[in-house]
Amino acid sequence: MTAQNAQFVTAHNTHLERNHHTFVVRGANYWQAMNLGMASGSGNRSRVLHDLQQLSSMGINTLRILATSEASQFGQAPDRIRPELTQSPGIYNNDVWEGLDWILAQLPHFNMTACISLGNFWTWSGGAPQYVSWATNTRIPYPVQWDHKHKVFSGGDYDEFLTYTAHFYNNTHAQKWYRTHIRRVLTRTNSVTNVPYRRDPNIMGWELMNEPQYIRGYELELAKWIDDSARLVHALAPMHLVTSGAESKNGAHAFKLMHASPYVTLASCHFWPLNWGYYNATDPTIHSIQESISKMQVFVRNNAQWTCELNKPTVLFEFGLMRDNWGKWGGPLDAYNPRAPVTHRDMFYQAVYKE
């Protein structure tokens, strides 16, 4: 391997290397990166530099960021990143593009790499359901979620939303636009560094989508989408890692289906005890958090075993827990109030790091 190639993060069996040394991912999700990196409008570059300095001082070496957000043809949509990168298929907001360029140019100053998501299953960035909406010219059947603007829960049936969004995997127009977007991102030349994205060693890898869902009845379509998309990314950026972005919450069969492609070089998993029903946010006793910790330990060990069987490395890309709520605070989001304690969250995070 040449010295230049050694600057890339690469997979060697079940571990990662960079510059001929083992590379351990110590990461943070920074979804708002490209918007905060804009030179005007909602951009806030001084905040970004402060955040990067703070994260670097904590030992963070990888940021997980978006290179995707999609606008609705029906006007403003609930709780969506704005301004969106993609205004409609093939039409881009150049200010947001340049915000992403700027962010990527800052990373080497803080000894960081980026794992970049090329899609999202969820509506907060438009995501896969927006591709389906464009393709069918129908409104997204949003699941129940908190509307920050109106301070109420809104939306409908979760299963209806899953079925609607699953059509992304096999809709001809949606797939064409998604692959066009992959090509636009990976063949872009950074306007700050003049380095093509696909040749940038500060990009650790590409995530096909944040949390693509394993939906019964769409298993073959999901596997084909992963393999086809990963093959395209690998062909365009052969020095970069490719990961599916899966939560890996559906057992061994689903895990292996979503990571079996030879073009997927890095496995992925997430763990959210509240979202998955393991944690009771109104229970102040030790029982609730102990159950979450036990579930996490089994989850991590299972995923480690399955990825070893595939002879690939894996990263726990997401985990989290709200602040203590226990019914003492005023509303559904008040557990994010900085006055709320973090007793259970500290216990959970310590257990994750120990595992």
Side-chain angles (χ1 to χ4, degrees):
M1 180 182 289
T2 66
Q4 184 176 10
N5 287 347
Q7 296 176 45
F8 290 85
V9 180
T10 54
H12 296 266
N13 299 317
T14 59
H15 72 280
L16 301 174
E17 289 186 6
R18 191 182 196 196
N19 292 321
H20 306 295
H21 296 285
T22 297
F23 183 81
V24 178
V25 174
R26 297 185 297 273
N29 291 284
Y30 200 57
W31 292 130
Q32 65 272 45
M34 64 181 177
N35 289 73
L36 288 177
M38 293 166 55
S40 59
S42 58
N44 189 340
R45 292 181 172 180
S46 61
R47 172 186 164 179
V48 172
L49 293 174
H50 174 78
D51 289 347
L52 295 181
Q53 180 60 53
Q54 191 172 40
L55 289 167
S56 178
S57 70
M58 297 175 182
I60 297 299
N61 62 11
T62 304
L63 293 185
R64 188 159 162 260
I65 64 177
L66 287 175
T68 181
S69 58
E70 297 79 25
S72 172
Q73 72 272 38
F74 298 113
Q76 285 202 354
D79 286 343
R80 192 170 294 194
I81 292 174
R82 298 187 185 89
E84 296 90 344
L85 175 62
T86 309
Q87 301 303 298
S88 60
I91 306 300
Y92 290 91
N93 182 322
N94 195 56
D95 291 340
V96 182
W97 265 136
E98 292 182 353
L100 182 59
D101 291 343
W102 183 83
I103 282 283
L104 293 175
Q106 308 315 305
L107 296 185
H109 302 303
F110 298 91
N111 196 29
M112 290 183 182
T113 65
C115 182
I116 304 181
S117 292
L118 296 164
N120 187 11
F121 193 87
W122 309 112
T123 57
W124 50 264
S125 68
Q130 185 56 55
Y131 278 97
V132 176
S133 178
W134 284 337
T136 60
N137 200 33
T138 57
R139 294 181 181 272
I140 298 169
Y142 289 90
V144 173
Q145 58 188 349
W146 182 252
D147 186 328
H148 289 82
K149 181 177 180 181
H150 299 102
K151 307 299 182 186
V152 295
F153 282 104
S154 64
D157 185 74
Y158 182 67
D159 288 337
E160 181 185 3
F161 168 76
L162 287 181
T163 301
Y164 180 90
T165 307
H167 287 99
F168 168 83
Y169 298 137
N170 62 6
N171 183 283
T172 302
H173 294 297
Q175 287 303 301
K176 176 185 176 182
W177 294 328
Y178 171 75
R179 292 194 178 96
T180 297
H181 179 66
I182 288 177
R183 293 186 182 94
R184 286 290 295 270
V185 175
L186 271 71
T187 60
R188 180 174 175 81
T189 295
N190 190 308
S191 62
V192 178
T193 64
N194 206 35
V195 176
Y197 280 17
R198 58 181 173 172
R199 296 174 185 160
D200 187 348
N202 299 302
I203 295 175
M204 180 183 82
W206 301 95
E207 183 176 81
L208 302 182
M209 179 177 288
N210 172 51
E211 299 185 342
Q213 295 297 289
Y214 176 88
I215 302 169
R216 297 198 180 279
Y218 291 88
E219 295 95 332
L220 295 179
E221 291 89 344
L222 171 62
K224 185 178 187 305
W225 167 72
I226 290 174
D227 188 59
D228 289 348
S229 303
R231 181 189 294 113
L232 174 59
V233 173
H234 180 74
L236 292 170
M239 292 303 297
H240 286 149
L241 300 170
V242 183
T243 186
S244 67
E247 292 169 287
S248 301
K249 63 184 179 182
N250 298 105
H253 173 75
F255 178 90
K256 292 178 180 179
L257 180 143
M258 299 181 78
H259 296 100
S261 170
Y263 305 104
V264 172
T265 52
L266 176 65
S268 164
C269 58
H270 302 174
F271 190 83
W272 291 99
L274 178 68
N275 303 30
W276 298 352
Y278 303 144
Y279 179 69
N280 180 355
T282 65
D283 181 1
T285 68
I286 201 71
H287 173 76
S288 183
I289 193 61
Q290 282 184 333
E291 181 181 6
S292 298
I293 290 171
S294 296
K295 295 284 190 181
M296 176 275 298
Q297 291 168 335
V298 172
F299 176 85
V300 168
R301 292 166 192 175
N302 283 343
N303 277 271
Q305 177 186 332
W306 301 332
T307 197
C308 283
E309 291 170 4
L310 294 176
N311 198 33
K312 297 180 182 183
T314 191
V315 172
L316 179 64
F317 276 107
E318 288 189 23
F319 64 91
L321 193 70
M322 65 202 308
R323 289 171 176 264
D324 300 337
N325 186 347
W326 305 340
K328 296 180 180 180
W329 304 90
L333 295 184
D334 266 3
Y336 299 100
N337 187 318
R339 294 180 299 130
V342 290
T343 311
H344 280 182
R345 188 170 75 179
D346 283 352
M347 293 172 65
F348 177 67
Y349 279 29
Q350 288 166 6
V352 171
Y353 296 138
K354 182 178 179 180
E355 188 64 30

